[in-house]
Amino acid sequence: MAPIRLEVVTPERLVLEEDADIVVARGADGDIGILHGHEPLITPLATGELMYRAGGEERHLAISGGFLEVRPDKIVVLADLAERSEEIDRDRAEQARQRAEAALTENRGTQLEAEAAASLQKALLRLRVAQQRRRHERPGPRTEA
Amino acid sequence: MASQREIKRRIRSIKNTAQITKAMQMVAASRMRRAQQQVTDTRAYAQHIRGIVADISRRSGADDHPLLTKRDGGRVEIVVLTPDRGLAGSLVVNMNREAVRLAERVGGDIRVVAVGRKGRDFALRMRWKLVAEFTNVGDHPEASVVGPVAQQILDDFENDAVDSVYLVYSEFVSTLRQTPRAVQLLPVVAPEQAEEDVPQLGGPWNYEPDDPQAVLSALLPRYIEFTMYQALLETKASEHSSRMVAMSNATDNANELASDLTLLANKARQAEITKEIAEISGAAEALRTG
């Protein structure tokens, strides 16, 4: 299987540019997996995890909102925010989760509830993606080239 | 001729000023480099989001999206992105002039959203209606700082408080050149893209959900926010480079003035010595003859 070029960009920077065997993203209607030769597609992304496999290794990113642009040989993720798992500071992510939980309890039933829930969701996502880092050392099943 | 002591005091004071302007020049230079880098870093995102907006706005069923629909009526909102601080040469003046030109061109009922203190002050002086102000955005803003500004103008437009929204900012052309610009934010004018560029970008794409309206509703607010973020970074790069050049000129002028005054001080000292010699020799002559 030919690799597909994966590019992750945010308004602030180019986060990642790498060849991947498969990319799995969290679309607005559920997970979507993309291989080389996928038809051209544009779809909104939800807040969630983006996984790609390169060289038999699974790698993870935390993505919050944006768009997925698919070309036959290239995938471009236009994310509002994107962080690679190894970039995430686990302690700070944990603090962010606690803050978000406190904010949610405080604002329950008010207009701010949805916003607080969204930031809690983001904090949990970052924590989950940060945990994935350990798996990098253990190579996953190799895909046939 | 001024007294020696007076001239020396002025030289000291001018040299102090030169030291300060030199320091400001260095600070501005380092901030400028970082701001320029930030502008460069947005290019990848810019290229893709423009391509998508251009592609989708050409499709059928896209042209009646509320954020793309032109409205009659002259209620105009102007977002002015300006520095918080002065001492940046003619930058602020040029930007303010551009804002006035825009206001004259679009006419009607003007209201202003000011990002940066200089723009706010100017809007107040012009007696424009100031609806919101955002100051202290920092020298190297993150993308999230424009979120509330974008929310403000989207709300105003969607609640039918205004008919169009414009943005005034400064384009960073080079260290020596910054051009004030005025662009329309709302209703969104889709970026131009030649048909032959499309295959190169990989389009035409399929959209999921296959409903241009739904995709546009997610896409356009981001596009506006990003346009504003990029303009903010351009303005910051302009500000720092303009300040660097202004401070470099100020330092040069101060040094020139100090060297002119040093010459004057030396002349005054020489005149004093000549006068003393003349007096002494005059007195000696008087003693000898007397």
Side-chain angles (χ1 to χ4, degrees):
Chain A
M1 176 74 82
I4 185 163
R5 192 90 180 145
L6 172 66
E7 228 182 274
V8 179
V9 293
T10 68
E12 282 160 3
R13 65 193 176 122
L14 177 67
V15 180
L16 179 105
E17 195 174 10
E18 214 178 316
D19 283 330
D21 300 317
I22 183 172
V23 177
V24 179
R26 177 66 49 88
D29 302 327
D31 281 357
I32 164 172
I34 297 147
L35 299 166
H36 187 273
H38 196 285
E39 61 176 359
L41 171 77
I42 283 175
T43 187
L45 288 176
T47 294
E49 191 176 330
L50 181 113
M51 188 281 284
Y52 67 100
R53 194 178 294 147
E57 236 178 55
E58 278 186 10
R59 300 192 188 146
H60 301 264
L61 289 100
I63 303 278
S64 63
F67 278 85
L68 184 71
E69 175 192 331
V70 182
R71 312 172 185 185
D73 57 346
K74 193 172 179 187
I75 299 174
V76 182
V77 178
L78 291 134
D80 298 345
L81 285 169
E83 275 176 297
R84 290 201 300 269
S85 60
E86 60 268 29
E87 287 175 340
I88 299 173
D89 182 329
R90 221 176 294 177
D91 296 336
R92 283 181 52 193
E94 177 58 33
Q95 283 164 20
R97 183 189 65 87
Q98 284 165 5
R99 270 201 310 276
E101 266 175 2
L104 187 60
T105 339
E106 198 178 308
N107 294 313
R108 201 169 288 286
T110 70
Q111 284 181 327
L112 294 170
E113 185 177 347
E115 204 176 303
S119 49
L120 178 60
Q121 195 195 350
K122 255 179 234 177
L124 287 172
L125 165 73
R126 293 178 72 234
L127 268 179
R128 197 169 64 235
V129 172
Q131 303 294 345
Q132 300 281 9
R133 197 176 343 179
R134 292 206 185 114
R135 289 194 209 163
H136 287 189
E137 278 87 70
R138 179 158 49 85
R142 227 169 229 296
T143 39
E144 286 306 312
Chain B
M1 199 175 280
S3 83
Q4 273 190 71
R5 192 187 302 179
E6 214 171 281
I7 297 172
K8 281 197 174 140
R9 206 173 47 223
R10 276 197 70 196
I11 292 174
R12 255 201 313 278
S13 130
I14 285 163
K15 281 190 173 159
N16 277 337
T17 308
Q19 261 174 12
I20 293 167
T21 56
K22 180 85 188 174
M24 288 179 76
Q25 177 193 336
M26 310 285 244
V27 171
S30 97
R31 288 189 179 149
M32 179 191 77
R33 272 191 294 276
R34 172 125 182 255
Q36 259 175 284
Q37 186 56 46
Q38 273 192 299
V39 171
T40 317
D41 287 346
T42 62
R43 289 220 177 111
Y45 191 92
Q47 188 199 342
H48 291 291
I49 197 160
R50 292 219 175 92
I52 297 175
V53 173
D55 180 76
I56 193 170
S57 58
R58 257 203 312 269
R59 299 166 90 92
S60 58
D63 39 348
D64 54 347
H65 191 277
L67 295 181
L68 289 167
T69 311
K70 246 187 109 170
R71 296 187 194 161
D72 299 325
R75 292 166 306 164
V76 180
E77 193 155 272
I78 302 178
V79 182
V80 286
L81 302 180
T82 53
D84 276 334
R85 280 162 299 174
L87 292 181
S90 56
L91 180 76
V92 175
V93 175
N94 288 339
M95 293 183 74
N96 288 342
R97 194 178 300 141
E98 186 65 32
V100 171
R101 255 205 297 273
L102 172 70
E104 280 166 0
R105 182 157 59 85
V106 294
D109 186 7
I110 307 280
R111 36 191 273 169
V112 172
V113 174
V115 182
R117 210 166 284 139
K118 291 287 162 184
R120 177 201 60 189
D121 294 350
F122 184 69
L124 291 175
R125 268 208 305 284
M126 292 296 289
R127 297 180 190 286
W128 282 333
K129 191 176 165 207
L130 189 66
V131 290
E133 61 174 83
F134 302 86
T135 51
N136 288 325
V137 295
D139 285 316
H140 305 292
E142 291 174 8
S144 53
V145 303
V146 296
V149 190
Q151 200 53 54
Q152 167 87 29
I153 65 163
L154 282 166
D155 286 348
D156 288 346
F157 190 75
E158 277 163 355
N159 297 336
D160 201 25
V162 294
D163 299 307
S164 57
V165 182
Y166 289 82
L167 175 69
V168 174
Y169 71 102
S170 170
E171 185 190 345
F172 176 81
V173 184
S174 71
T175 310
L176 297 174
R177 232 166 89 84
Q178 300 88 36
T179 316
R181 295 250 177 252
V183 295
Q184 185 175 332
L185 280 180
L186 282 168
V188 174
V189 185
E192 292 288 322
Q193 193 178 53
E195 288 283 341
E196 56 265 28
D197 287 348
V198 175
Q200 189 201 328
L201 283 171
W205 290 285
N206 298 316
Y207 288 89
E208 213 180 276
D210 188 20
D211 172 12
Q213 296 279 336
V215 177
L216 280 168
S217 294
L219 185 63
L220 290 177
R222 285 193 172 84
Y223 178 64
I224 289 161
E225 203 168 307
F226 177 71
T227 306
M228 224 187 266
Y229 179 57
Q230 217 184 13
L232 180 64
L233 292 181
E234 293 261 355
T235 304
K236 287 288 165 192
S238 298
E239 175 189 344
H240 296 309
S241 58
S242 184
R243 179 168 299 127
M244 184 189 77
V245 171
M247 288 303 110
S248 156
N249 288 339
T251 310
D252 290 351
N253 287 342
N255 286 336
E256 197 180 314
L257 201 56
S259 100
D260 285 355
L261 283 172
T262 308
L263 190 67
L264 207 62
N266 287 342
K267 275 187 183 161
R269 186 169 55 96
Q270 197 58 55
E272 186 85 0
I273 292 166
T274 313
K275 200 177 95 199
E276 274 172 25
I277 290 173
E279 275 167 9
I280 291 166
S281 64
E285 187 70 16
L287 279 177
R288 196 162 54 85
T289 51

